[in-house]
Amino acid sequence: MSVMENRASPEDVATILARVLAESRLRRIPRHPGHREIVLGILCRGLKRRYPYSEPELKAHLEVELAKMNASVDHVTCRRYLVDLGFVKRDRAGTRHFLNYPKLEATLSEAAMESAGDLVSKALLTARGRSRKSQDD
């Protein structure tokens, strides 16, 4: 089985987002390794290749992406996971961060990367709809 066969499709991403955003928010980084990798891949998909991100730039990017998921997870935790799991690499001094695009590419299919923003919005809307429906009952 090649790496390409293990990449998450838009359908896989939609299913996992429906689970992790079921309460209309990202409450924590998922424990399941596959789910965690997909969520982290979504968080770093907007980073540019070969661009040296400073700490404040990476923080700003993560805060924006986490806000899109209505997350209660802080950017520091996410950055730690991104570095530990190889989505982001640091320079030797630890002052610059670089997207590890091969890791992102091995996690999310091209179609999943392109549609991830819409899939996040859809999962949040679905969760909010379920929440309102249960309040009305």
Side-chain angles (χ1 to χ4, degrees):
M1 188 179 288
S2 73
V3 170
M4 296 298 183
E5 293 173 21
N6 292 328
R7 300 184 327 160
S9 69
E11 295 79 20
D12 298 331
V13 172
T15 301
I16 289 165
L17 287 174
R19 287 182 188 166
V20 300
L21 300 175
E23 297 176 19
S24 300
R25 65 184 306 151
L26 179 66
R27 295 181 58 98
R28 60 181 169 77
I29 299 296
R31 289 185 187 129
H32 186 279
H35 297 181
R36 182 173 45 233
E37 293 223 344
I38 287 172
V39 169
L40 293 172
I42 290 169
L43 290 175
C44 69
R45 72 188 159 77
L47 295 172
K48 299 176 202 167
R49 291 184 189 184
R50 298 182 199 97
Y51 180 82
Y53 287 91
S54 66
E55 198 76 34
E57 288 173 318
L58 187 59
K59 174 188 174 191
H61 172 80
L62 290 174
E63 286 176 341
V64 167
E65 293 299 319
L66 289 167
K68 290 178 186 175
M69 290 188 180
N70 195 22
S72 56
V73 180
D74 66 299
H75 72 277
V76 176
T77 300
C78 290
R79 187 188 66 234
R80 175 85 266 141
Y81 273 113
L82 289 172
V83 171
D84 288 352
L85 296 177
F87 283 95
V88 173
K89 301 219 177 199
R90 291 191 215 177
D91 65 2
R92 288 183 187 256
T95 58
R96 299 282 177 200
H97 297 79
F98 297 85
L99 172 65
N100 181 9
Y101 192 77
K103 173 68 173 179
L104 178 60
E105 193 175 44
T107 304
L108 299 175
S109 68
E110 196 67 38
M113 281 189 253
E114 290 172 9
S115 62
D118 293 336
L119 295 171
V120 167
S121 298
K122 185 177 177 183
L124 287 170
L125 286 172
T126 302
R128 287 182 188 130
R130 275 193 306 253
S131 175
R132 285 189 192 122
K133 187 177 179 183
S134 67
Q135 289 174 355
D136 292 342
D137 291 341

